[in-house]
Each structure stands twice: as structure tokens, then as C-alpha cells.
Amino acid sequence: MTHDDCLFCKILAGDIPADIVFESETAIAFRDINPQAPTHVVIIPRQHIATINDIGVEDQPVVGSLFSAAREIAKKEGLSEEGYRVVMNCNAAAGQTVFHLHLHLLGGRGLGWPPG
Ligand code: AMP
Ligand code: ZN
């Protein structure tokens, strides 16, 4: 898949609308179109990285910034104390459907473990 075909690159470019809740130099976040919890935000790097398997050593600051974003968004959503979950699916067996790295932030309800 090329960047031109990438749904999240299109959101980054403003070609597809999204409910953006966070922006930084390295990452943006928007509400998931099919939310699985009262708060379900997708956090993505501005840089196109397809999967966890494609993360290079040089990408570590960018990937780390996704977690900083999660912390800030959770605080804004009032989830810091009660708790929340971040999930990153890698490839088909884990349920990855969009091949642009993303962290799901889920909260606002009790979350079972182990996940399905
Ligand atoms: P994953 O299955 O881990 O690849 O996650 C992809 C997520 O992107 C899913 O939770 C989808 O509901 C979400 N998604 C797909 N299209 C959009 C969109 N246009 N705006 C917001 N979220 C989307
Ligand atoms: Zn992309």
C-alpha cells in the first residue's frame, strides 16, 4: 500500500474529515469512527509507518510521542485516574485494518482482560 492509498495519510492531509482532538509536531489524534468505548481515540504519527514491524530505531522518538499524546488526551478526557487502555494491533491476526501505525486509546468503561 502506498501513502496515496493510505486512509490515515488522507486524514492527515485534510482530504478526509475527522474529529481531531490532539495535534503535535509528530502526531495527531481523532475520534474513532466506530467507537468501542465512550472514549475511543486513534493516535497516529504524521510520518507514514505501516506496522510495528516497520518501526526503525530512528523512529523511536516519534513512536514515543504517541504515548505522550495518549497521556495528554486521557487527562483531557478525565481518564487519568480511573484508567484507560492503549492498544496497537499489528497485522491481520491482531485485527489491524489500517496500515498506518496507530495507538487506540480506550476508556470510560470497564475493560475486560484478556482482550478478545
Ligand atoms: P485497526 O483495526 O487497529 O487497524 O484500527 C483502525 C481503526 O480506524 C478502527 O477502529 C476504525 O474504526 C478506525 N477508522 C477507520 N476509518 C476511520 C475514519 N475515517 N475516521 C476515524 N476512524 C476510522
Ligand atoms: Zn499513512
Side-chain angles (χ1 to χ4, degrees), residues 3 6 8-9 48 99-100:
H3 303 197
C6 173
F8 288 172
C9 281
H48 180 94
F99 289 85
H100 180 129

Side-chain angles (χ1 to χ4, degrees), residues 17-49:
D19 184 1
I20 293 170
V21 297
F22 173 92
E23 290 189 78
S24 75
E25 240 176 66
T26 53
I28 73 161
F30 46 86
R31 296 202 186 275
D32 198 290
I33 206 168
N34 182 24
Q36 302 301 310
T39 293
H40 186 173
V41 170
V42 178
I43 305 164
I44 70 172
R46 290 188 185 274
Q47 180 188 339
H48 180 94
I49 300 169

Side-chain angles (χ1 to χ4, degrees), residues 2 5 14 17 21-22 25 28 42 47 49 56 58-59 62 65 71-73 79 81 86 88 101-103 112:
T2 69
D5 296 331
V21 297
F22 173 92
E25 240 176 66
I28 73 161
V42 178
Q47 180 188 339
I49 300 169
E58 68 282 5
D59 301 325
V62 165
S65 79
R71 183 196 62 222
E72 286 188 35
I73 296 160
L79 296 170
E81 296 309 317
V86 292
M88 191 177 278
L101 200 72
H102 53 281
L103 201 57

